[in-house]
Amino acid sequence: MNERPRRFVLWVMALTITMLLIRHGRPIASDGESADFLPGKRAENGKVTIRLMGDCVTSGVYHFNHPVKMGTVINMTVPFLYDFSLKNGSDKEGVYTGSVVEIRRKKRNSLEITVSNMSMEEKMVLGILLDPNDLSVAQWEKLPGIGPALARRILADRQENGDFSSVADLERVSGIGKAKVSRLECFLR
């Protein structure tokens, strides 16, 4: 192959790869915030892990290094809206670990944003610790070593004695000892 056509082919390939990276890449927020896309990774304590979906650059699970505001999430994931503000200052509201943020583009510079919570199963897969004070009987039953009767006793104890301040407080429930608490510690905060 002649040198000139070879250079042209390499130039076209480099241009194609660059355009794909620009099109599918993630912009950096104006305040310098960074985030990791988490395919195949697990959440870490002290970091914010959320799932983004809808009209954003790349839907998926993101991991932020410190508390993050809704405005930062939108600036990083919706590149066609660089200067925006949400009504009532909701762009200043925090986004927390386990949140699902769905962004839908309605009209030019108009977004519909829905924030909900990840399912218990998704949180467990990602390694996000569950709050023992928020779990229902059905959710308790999904944890290892917890059957229907024990799940009902846990909820009855919580209603009678108040919230659990730590995982160790589960020992106050009949049928839960130190061994079971140590098995549950990797799921509960």
Side-chain angles (χ1 to χ4, degrees):
M1 184 182 252
N2 196 350
E3 186 65 31
R4 201 171 211 178
R6 186 179 314 152
R7 284 185 187 173
F8 179 73
V9 169
L10 289 174
W11 182 82
V12 169
M13 288 174 50
L15 180 63
T16 303
I17 290 170
T18 301
M19 294 308 292
L20 285 171
L21 289 173
I22 289 171
R23 185 168 188 266
H24 295 291
R26 179 186 47 77
I28 300 299
S30 58
D31 63 0
E33 174 66 52
S34 65
D36 301 323
F37 185 65
L38 276 186
K41 294 183 184 177
R42 291 178 57 88
E44 296 177 30
N45 287 338
K47 311 252 176 146
V48 177
T49 303
I50 65 171
R51 181 164 44 93
L52 297 173
M53 52 192 294
D55 299 329
C56 52
V57 174
T58 303
S59 294
V61 177
Y62 285 81
H63 184 75
F64 293 88
N65 291 324
H66 52 77
V68 64
K69 305 277 185 235
M70 180 66 76
T72 302
V73 171
I74 293 169
N75 277 331
M76 292 178 72
T77 58
V78 188
F80 47 82
L81 288 178
Y82 286 105
D83 291 318
F84 77 96
S85 63
L86 299 175
K87 294 178 184 172
N88 304 325
S90 57
D91 57 330
K92 306 289 188 239
E93 291 179 14
V95 179
Y96 304 98
T97 292
S99 294
V100 176
V101 179
E102 184 173 3
I103 301 170
R104 293 284 173 215
R105 185 176 181 185
K106 293 298 181 185
K107 296 177 184 173
R108 184 174 181 195
N109 289 350
S110 174
L111 297 177
E112 178 182 84
I113 300 171
T114 307
V115 180
S116 58
N117 289 315
M118 292 178 186
S119 68
M120 176 186 166
E121 294 81 5
E122 185 175 10
K123 287 179 181 179
M124 289 174 71
V125 166
L126 290 171
I128 297 172
L129 298 178
L130 306 169
D131 185 347
N133 299 310
D134 291 340
L135 299 178
S136 67
V137 170
Q139 290 172 324
W140 273 108
E141 289 178 30
K142 293 177 183 176
L143 292 172
I146 307 290
L150 185 52
R152 286 191 298 274
R153 282 200 305 273
I154 292 170
L155 249 56
D157 180 274
R158 191 173 77 203
Q159 290 171 350
E160 186 176 314
N161 299 314
D163 286 349
F164 302 108
S165 60
S166 69
V167 178
D169 281 356
L170 288 170
E171 289 182 38
R172 71 185 191 205
V173 178
S174 172
I176 297 183
K178 289 185 188 294
K180 193 164 289 205
V181 166
S182 68
R183 255 187 292 156
L184 293 173
E185 281 179 327
C186 63
F187 299 107
L188 304 172
R189 60 183 157 114

